[in-house]
Structures are given as C-alpha cells and as structure tokens.
C-alpha cells in the first residue's frame, strides 16, 4: 500500500512539473475575494530580451503555410471575432505583422496565463509574476502583496472553472500588438489573518469573477513573450 501511494504521488508530481514546463511559467490561483490590483490600460512596452526559460506564448502557429492576403479564409476568426468588425480588422493587422499568429491559440494560452497569474499573486510569487507582467503592473501587484504580508494574511484559492475567455479588443500600434480578453471564472477563495480566521471570502463558497486583462508584445520580435500590461474589473 505504501509503495502504491509513493508511486502515485511521484506520477502526479511529474505531471505537475510537465504542465508547468509546457506553459513556461504562465500563471496561477487566486486570493480570497481580494483581487489583483486594478490598473488602467497601459501602452504596450517593448519586451525584454528573449528568455526561453520563461516564455509565455499565448499563440500557436497553425499548421501549413499562411494564405496569401487575397486568399484569406472568411472564417479565419470564426468563434473569435465577427467578420467586418473592428476587432477582426485589428486581428488581421496583427496577423500581417506576426507570421503564424493564431487568435484561437492565443485565447487558450491567455486562459492558462490568467489562472497562473492569479495563482502567483495569491501565493506572493514575485519571481513568477516578474516574468509575466509589465513593469507598471508588476509594481502594483508587488505593492499589494507587500501590504498583505504586513497584515499577516494568507490566501487560499481554488479555480473551479474558466467559463469564458472572450477577445474584446485588439490593436497594433507600430509594432506593438495588444489584445484584451474578458474572463468569466468561478473560484473558491478565502483570506485568513494571522490567527487563521477568515477575514475575506469563504473556503466553501464558489464565487463568479469577471476580469478584463490586456496582454502585449512586440509583433515580429524574436522574443515570444506576451506580458500582462493592464487589468480592470469587468461587468
């Protein structure tokens, strides 16, 4: 029985390490009802030099050669943006500047990044956050973590589900690509004080959360990193 338990534990640990490696430190769990600090939308910042050990690739290149501009698939953004909308036009502009850009792959990656960032913030993991956030957003998150630590508070968070991740805006400013995603999720969150008493949230209650986050990177850059450049509460 003990051997079986040890083998099972090792297998799950190995799977966890593999998932983290595949996502390249993308993000995590959430705090009690405490939310990551809200930031106004920021101008995209040029990413730092590429670091393959901390890559947050939110898009995946589709298989096969990209179609010529005159042969665009009318359903290329199906399920992501309606044809003829400003969002579709902006995605076209980003795709033209970023060979192999895949909006659906980006959306799936953004969901992973959202969960990982929230978890890193809840756990006070400054190192993970630094690789995923722009400087301004990072500074805001770290300040909030510091205040929480001064109060002696700890956060317990469990992601129940991410019910929806919707691209609501996209822009290409020069070479800076910027995409905004609205996340609808369900979480179980609780914040405890020094004595272990719950001061926010509830350890047995599922809550609905809406967040609107903006990610950016330098289109066409050899650096594949997308970073969170702005957050705000959704409706």
């Amino acid at each position: 029985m003990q051997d079986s338990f040890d083998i099972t534990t090792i297998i799950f640990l190995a799977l966890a390490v593999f998932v983290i490696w595949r996502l390249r430190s993308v993000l995590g769990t959430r705090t009690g009802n405490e939310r990551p600090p809200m930031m106004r939308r920021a101008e995209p910042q040029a990413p730092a030099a590429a670091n393959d050990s901390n890559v947050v690739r939110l898009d995946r290149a589709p298989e096969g050669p990209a179609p010529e501009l005159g042969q665009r698939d009318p359903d290329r953004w199906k399920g992501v943006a309606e044809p003829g909308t400003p969002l579709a036009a902006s995605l076209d502009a980003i795709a033209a500047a970023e060979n192999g850009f895949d909006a659906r792959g980006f959306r799936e990656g953004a969901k992973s990044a959202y969960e990982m960032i929230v978890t890193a913030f809840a756990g006070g993991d400054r190192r993970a956050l630094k690789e995923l956030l722009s400087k301004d957003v990072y500074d805001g998150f770290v300040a909030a973590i510091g205040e929480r630590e001064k109060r002696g508070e700890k956060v317990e968070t469990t992601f129940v589900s991410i019910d929806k991740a919707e691209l609501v805006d996209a822009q290409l400013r020069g070479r800076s690509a910027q995409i905004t995603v609205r996340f609808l999720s369900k979480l179980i969150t609780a914040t405890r004080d020094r004595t272990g008493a719950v001061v926010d949230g509830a350890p047995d209650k599922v809550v609905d959360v809406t967040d609107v986050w903006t990610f950016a990177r330098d289109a066409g850059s050899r650096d594949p990193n997308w970073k969170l450049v702005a957050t705000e509460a959704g409706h």
Side-chain angles (χ1 to χ4, degrees):
M1 176 67 71
Q2 183 64 38
D3 290 342
S4 176
F5 174 78
D6 291 341
I7 292 173
T8 300
T9 301
I10 292 172
I11 290 174
F12 277 107
L13 287 174
L15 286 173
V17 170
F18 176 73
V19 170
I20 293 172
W21 176 79
R22 288 287 293 172
L23 293 178
R24 307 285 190 176
S25 300
V26 193
L27 336 178
T29 317
R30 179 183 287 258
T31 69
N33 277 344
E34 171 196 59
R35 302 166 67 85
M38 297 298 109
M39 311 290 292
R40 293 186 179 182
R41 180 172 298 185
E43 293 293 327
Q45 298 182 359
N51 182 344
D52 289 342
S53 65
N54 294 290
V55 173
V56 181
R57 297 203 66 161
L58 302 188
D59 60 316
R60 299 179 179 86
E63 296 182 0
E68 298 295 332
L69 290 181
Q71 301 175 334
R72 282 178 175 166
D73 180 355
D75 294 327
R76 61 192 173 282
W77 306 130
K78 185 176 181 179
V80 177
E82 292 296 325
T85 61
L87 176 58
S90 294
L91 292 176
D92 282 340
I94 292 174
E98 178 68 29
N99 185 35
F101 172 75
D102 176 17
R104 282 175 287 274
F106 173 92
R107 182 175 58 187
E108 291 307 305
K111 289 165 63 177
S112 297
Y114 171 70
E115 184 175 348
M116 295 176 96
I117 288 172
V118 169
T119 300
F121 175 71
D125 190 344
R126 294 171 174 82
R127 182 176 181 180
L129 291 172
K130 191 169 185 178
E131 301 300 330
L132 303 166
L133 313 178
S134 68
K135 184 180 185 305
D136 288 345
V137 176
Y138 174 77
D139 289 345
F141 275 43
V142 167
I145 290 171
E147 290 299 317
R148 186 177 70 208
E149 291 174 343
K150 287 180 183 178
R151 296 191 298 269
E153 295 176 350
K154 292 186 178 180
V155 174
E156 301 171 354
T157 300
T158 300
F159 260 90
V160 176
S161 63
I162 297 179
D163 297 334
K164 189 174 184 179
E166 175 187 13
L167 273 60
V168 296
D169 187 42
Q171 299 181 37
L172 182 66
R173 301 176 179 178
R175 300 296 297 180
S176 294
Q178 179 173 290
I179 301 177
T180 301
V181 185
R182 179 185 290 115
F183 298 98
L184 306 180
S185 62
K186 285 183 172 62
L187 309 170
I188 299 174
T189 65
T191 301
R192 298 182 184 272
D193 64 15
R194 297 179 188 274
T195 69
V198 175
V199 296
D200 197 8
D204 57 356
K205 181 180 180 181
V206 177
V207 295
D208 294 315
V209 177
T210 302
D211 284 311
V212 180
W213 286 12
T214 300
F215 299 90
R217 73 178 291 267
D218 189 8
S221 171
R222 295 181 61 184
D223 180 1
N225 291 323
W226 286 82
K227 290 193 175 184
L228 180 64
V229 298
T231 70
E232 58 186 285
H235 305 292

